[in-house]
Amino acid sequence: MNVPAVGAFVLRGVAQVVFLDSAWAGAVFGLALCTADWRYGAYGVGGAALGTGAAQLLGVARDRVRTGLEGFNSCLTALCFAVFFEAGSLSTVLLAAAACLVVTVIAAAVDRLLHVWALPTLTLPYCLLAGAVTVAAPAFRRIRPHGGSVAALPHAASGPTVLRLNDVGAAFFRNLAQVFFLDQWYAGALLLAGLFLASRVAGWVACAGSAAGILTAWALGAPAARIADGTMGYNAVLVALALCGVLLPATPATLSYALLGAATASALTPALAHLLAPSGGRPLTWPFVLTTLGFLLAARSFPRMTGLRAPATGQPRAGTTGRA
């Protein structure tokens, strides 16, 4: 296997965070990470490389390695540690490297479990491992979370709820940026450019998902600052992409269904944040995983979503599963 091919596999792993099988999109995403902090780019691309390499050594099916399906969970895992711990610390580097290997094993186990129901793993392996480490981190002196433990009892939302035009613009791009833990709106703009580079359909669906996240959070009375920073809407972007064009066909019906899912994920995000707060946990992409799996299972009973006729017995048939 030559070096350019391996590099393409790794970049596809970065792109598969948002369901894209495109090395060019992965390169743009890596650039977006570097615009925020070159170390984030190194962790993200390096994480995808470790996950891809581990899968190759363990003998995972070549088509999964080639399309980047073994790199996206490790990419997010490494990036999570870079953001929440000290990116320049050797202990963080070693922890991220080890976690990228472990998440490959977890991904295989989760795939075996969900295969029974013909469901994709999505980012569930990353959520399980990164969630466990972020909760456990304060117990280990060589793992230093920024500001110490974040464990705290949840409290009621506060702050003005009136959205200004610049808040809406910032939220629109940051909803994409926060998929990769980034705060910068221009990083979100680069990520959106990468989406359009790979697929115009994916680009427009991501725009619709971001808009749905903003509208839902505003309608529910979320503080404007929380909407503007993108933390209320990044799961909505992922759900929209998953349910329109990836796991389900891209049609007007599935777009409406996907936007309903995006709105659901936006409402679920603070619920999970409050649920996990006392232990120091974070919502990560749990809202995306839970919403997508739930809507995907339900879609098997809706022929207009899957394009399949419901069986006469009333038992749902398996629909399109997309990325596994």
Side-chain angles (χ1 to χ4, degrees), residues 59-296:
V60 173
R62 180 176 170 79
D63 64 325
R64 288 186 58 83
V65 176
R66 180 186 62 79
T67 56
L69 292 177
E70 293 296 330
F72 67 94
N73 274 295
S74 55
C75 171
L76 284 175
T77 300
L79 191 55
C80 174
F81 293 171
V83 173
F84 292 145
F85 306 140
E86 294 183 8
S89 169
L90 178 61
S91 61
T92 301
V93 173
L94 295 176
L95 177 66
C100 288
L101 304 180
V102 174
V103 82
T104 302
V105 177
I106 294 175
V110 171
D111 179 58
R112 284 288 180 180
L113 179 63
L114 295 183
H115 182 73
V116 176
W117 298 281
L119 290 171
T121 61
L122 304 175
T123 55
L124 181 54
Y126 146 70
C127 286
L128 290 170
L129 181 59
V133 173
T134 52
V135 169
F140 303 106
R141 296 185 62 183
R142 289 192 176 89
I143 305 175
R144 297 183 289 275
H146 291 304
S149 174
V150 295
L153 292 176
H155 54 82
S158 59
T161 59
V162 177
L163 277 179
R164 296 170 298 177
L165 186 60
N166 61 323
D167 291 330
V168 175
F172 181 81
F173 290 112
R174 284 178 177 151
N175 284 345
L176 286 101
Q178 286 290 353
V179 171
F180 289 89
F181 302 99
L182 304 180
D183 294 322
Q184 296 80 5
W185 69 267
Y186 50 82
L190 264 177
L191 292 169
L192 184 59
L195 277 159
F196 274 107
L197 177 66
S199 166
R200 282 182 293 179
V201 171
W204 287 118
V205 169
C207 290
S210 182
I214 295 170
L215 182 60
T216 302
W218 171 80
L220 292 174
R226 285 291 313 280
I227 299 174
D229 67 15
T231 55
M232 289 288 291
Y234 68 97
N235 281 290
V237 172
L238 288 171
V239 171
L241 286 167
L243 295 178
C244 184
V246 178
L247 305 178
L248 296 173
T251 66
T254 57
L255 177 60
S256 299
Y257 192 66
L259 294 181
L260 177 62
T264 301
S266 293
L268 188 58
T269 297
L272 288 175
H274 281 205
L275 180 65
L276 296 170
S279 64
R282 301 172 187 269
L284 303 176
T285 56
W286 277 112
F288 153 64
V289 170
L290 297 177
T291 302
T292 300
L293 292 180
F295 272 62
L296 188 59

